[in-house]
Amino acid sequence: MKESLLQNPVFGMAARQFDQVADFMELEEEIRERCKWPKRLITVSLPVRMDDGRTEVYLAHRVQHHLSRGPVKGGLRYHPNVDLGEVAALAMWMNWKCALMRLPYGGAKGGINCDPRAMSPREKEGVTRRFAAEILPFIGKEVDIMAPDMGTDEQTMAWIVDVYSANTGHLVPGIVTGKPVELQGSEGRREATGYGVAFLAMRALDKLGCAIEGASAIIQGFGNVGYHAAERLACSGVMVKGISDITGAIWNDNGIDVAKLGEHVRATGGVSGFDEAEGIDPDEMLLQPCEILVPAALERVITGENAPKLNCRVLAEAANGPTTPEADAVISERGDIFLLPDILCNAGGVTVSYFEWVQNLSRFHWSEQEVFTKLETMLERAFERMLNFAGEQQVSHRMAALCLGVREVAEVKKKRGLFP
Ligand code: NAD
């Protein structure tokens, strides 16, 4: 199992990053092994009746990386590329992210290998309900709490609450986060990841002594994270000049009207064809000059090939794992790009998910103002911790963020000792 996980390119990348961190921290062999490998890998098959009467069987995975610091927490992704290795890598990154943010969680991730764009709402509901039913013995508000990720949303979470609650006989809102506010979701959760990305990107510009007003940004991916990051940046005076999604890329030198583009996407399903911008090659878009570049879609899009040609001051990793180790080496060597590593940059989502869970457990509802104020405080603290560590140890921002996360986990494992 270890070998087949390592052969997966995304897990291989997460494992290589971990090895570098463990070497740097001189982690003892025993702790290193216990930190590196996932505690539970769960795969279930989901037979689902499709609209045309056929039965399709989907494969779904949930990986719980470790449970030493509390319940596990992580998103649920619907995408045709989902496989166990990718899900395990994302669970490992979640782990370091929760620890870096000092949230009382281990990391997890889930994914269903399906194409949500090709499914009707009824079929998506069928897949989700079947998954919730199959995974039920392995989750719980003190065990494993899911949230939306690529291809899933508040409605997906609402169906999971419904299946889980129907089985327990009472409403259990704390079983997932990222729910609709009407179903005890948190104010601000929908915007939280993008809000955090924009907040940190602007803090990075501040540190570089660059003005925010009039700075430019390019965003790959215009889903939950990309949209809210774009909106927040635009509200703060940043010109969002380039945006791409699965349908193509668009460009406007004077800045794209993000709200109008949002309406266009809702009406047509993608950014392509927006009449207030020109089309641009999606790969070329990433290389255009800008202050802030935000990959907010897939893994491994900043590569050894395009990293030398990037023209940004801040690389804000909204997606998980968007930068390959080869690209990382190029960025470190160049030294002219302020990297906001994924486990910090997109941590706004899990932080407000934590707030949502706390509100659910205490049957309380916080205002949006309260949520964003607390979020900014927690992001600022983690940002400063990362910068201080990087400065003191003379390491990259990614190495600093990962070391801080791994250190929290390693310490807890040491203190708890080995059972039996
Ligand atoms: P989403 O499904 O809402 O949106 C994904 C976007 O990426 C869509 O606009 C889609 O068209 C675009 N996309 C897909 N393939 C593309 C390609 N080849 N080129 C350009 N664009 C492409 O997903 P999301 O929730 O916004 O998540 C985006 C990323 O952020 C993922 O890596 C996810 O793991 C990460 N993330 C999400 C959250 C969250 O709260 N939703 C939290 C942390 C990290």
Side-chain angles (χ1 to χ4, degrees):
M1 174 52 80
K2 284 180 176 174
E3 276 316 305
S4 71
L5 274 181
L6 285 175
Q7 274 161 22
N8 177 279
V10 191
F11 189 85
M13 175 173 148
R16 259 202 281 166
Q17 275 178 358
F18 173 79
D19 287 339
Q20 283 171 3
V21 171
D23 287 345
F24 177 77
M25 294 174 68
E26 298 177 349
L27 272 191
E28 312 81 301
E29 192 57 27
E30 182 211 319
I31 292 294
R32 184 185 180 117
E33 283 294 288
R34 288 171 61 197
C35 286
K36 181 170 174 177
W37 300 105
K39 173 63 68 187
R40 296 179 184 152
L41 299 120
I42 304 151
T43 297
V44 289
S45 62
L46 314 174
V48 179
R49 186 92 64 220
M50 306 305 279
D51 289 350
D52 62 5
R54 271 177 318 114
T55 300
E56 186 85 45
V57 179
Y58 294 96
L59 273 192
H61 312 284
R62 184 78 184 162
V63 176
Q64 301 173 342
H65 192 86
H66 81 83
L67 296 110
S68 310
R69 298 178 64 256
V72 287
K73 185 91 194 76
L76 173 65
R77 170 178 291 198
Y78 291 0
H79 195 272
N81 292 347
V82 160
D83 60 34
L84 184 60
E86 178 195 75
V87 173
L90 291 163
M92 194 189 322
W93 284 320
M94 267 313 282
N95 218 24
W96 316 138
K97 186 188 304 180
C98 292
L100 168 70
M101 294 305 296
R102 298 196 167 149
L103 306 177
Y105 293 136
K109 203 75 178 189
I112 303 182
N113 187 293
C114 64
D115 183 0
R117 289 170 59 87
M119 289 157 75
S120 71
R122 200 208 63 81
E123 289 171 337
K124 266 190 262 183
E125 179 173 355
V127 166
T128 306
R129 287 187 179 279
R130 185 70 199 215
F131 175 63
E134 298 285 355
I135 205 74
L136 203 110
F138 308 103
I139 60 174
K141 63 184 168 52
E142 303 292 347
V143 183
D144 183 346
I145 306 131
M146 291 192 237
D149 192 76
M150 259 169 80
T152 57
D153 55 17
E154 292 176 6
Q155 180 58 66
T156 322
M157 296 303 115
W159 288 324
I160 296 176
V161 170
D162 189 54
V163 173
Y164 193 86
S165 302
N167 272 274
T168 50
H170 56 91
L171 178 66
V172 189
I175 184 63
V176 293
T177 58
K179 302 176 287 292
V181 171
E182 301 83 336
L183 195 55
Q184 299 182 33
S186 177
E187 305 291 343
R189 173 60 185 93
R190 191 181 300 160
E191 301 85 359
T193 310
Y195 184 102
V197 170
F199 172 79
L200 290 167
M202 291 188 283
R203 289 295 293 119
L205 280 189
D206 242 16
K207 292 275 176 194
L208 291 171
C210 295
I212 289 162
E213 184 77 38
S216 58
I218 294 173
I219 302 188
Q220 181 194 50
F222 199 60
N224 175 283
V225 180
Y227 173 78
H228 290 292
E231 191 188 42
R232 186 81 204 145
L233 287 169
C235 279
S236 310
V238 174
M239 278 194 296
V240 183
K241 292 186 173 180
I243 297 183
S244 71
D245 72 2
I246 194 139
T247 65
I250 56 166
W251 186 268
N252 184 335
D253 246 337
N254 300 315
I256 293 166
D257 184 324
V258 176
K260 267 197 195 163
L261 179 63
E263 281 167 29
H264 171 82
V265 171
R266 273 188 291 281
T268 66
V271 301
S272 272
F274 183 53
D275 58 13
E276 292 186 17
E278 290 163 17
I280 181 171
D281 178 83
D283 295 332
E284 283 298 312
M285 182 193 80
L286 298 178
L287 309 179
Q288 300 306 305
C290 64
E291 272 73 37
I292 304 168
L293 176 62
V294 185
L298 305 170
E299 298 91 43
R300 298 189 302 138
V301 290
I302 308 296
T303 62
E305 218 165 284
N306 62 13
K309 301 183 222 153
L310 294 180
N311 244 316
C312 59
R313 301 293 312 276
V314 175
L315 177 59
E317 293 185 338
N320 288 305
T323 306
T324 65
E326 295 75 25
D328 237 358
V330 174
I331 290 168
S332 287
E333 175 78 9
R334 283 179 54 156
D336 60 345
I337 295 178
F338 190 115
L339 180 88
L340 284 167
D342 50 3
I343 65 165
L344 172 67
C345 188
N346 66 32
V350 70
T351 304
V352 176
S353 271
Y354 165 64
F355 296 163
E356 182 173 328
W357 183 70
V358 167
Q359 291 171 75
N360 292 155
L361 296 189
S362 55
R363 297 279 191 263
F364 209 69
H365 192 77
W366 302 352
S367 70
E368 188 182 87
Q369 178 66 40
E370 230 173 326
V371 167
F372 286 138
T373 306
K374 286 185 165 76
L375 173 63
E376 289 191 8
T377 306
M378 289 185 65
L379 288 173
E380 178 69 26
R381 280 191 198 140
F383 179 66
E384 288 297 340
R385 274 201 300 276
M386 177 193 77
L387 291 183
N388 290 341
F389 189 96
E392 281 161 17
Q393 303 288 330
Q394 291 297 299
V395 292
S396 69
H397 292 171
R398 186 185 315 286
M399 183 64 131
L402 285 167
C403 282
L404 288 166
V406 171
R407 188 169 71 186
E408 296 271 330
V409 176
E411 283 305 316
V412 166
K413 285 201 181 285
K414 274 191 227 168
K415 294 251 156 63
R416 285 188 55 167
L418 189 59
F419 173 84

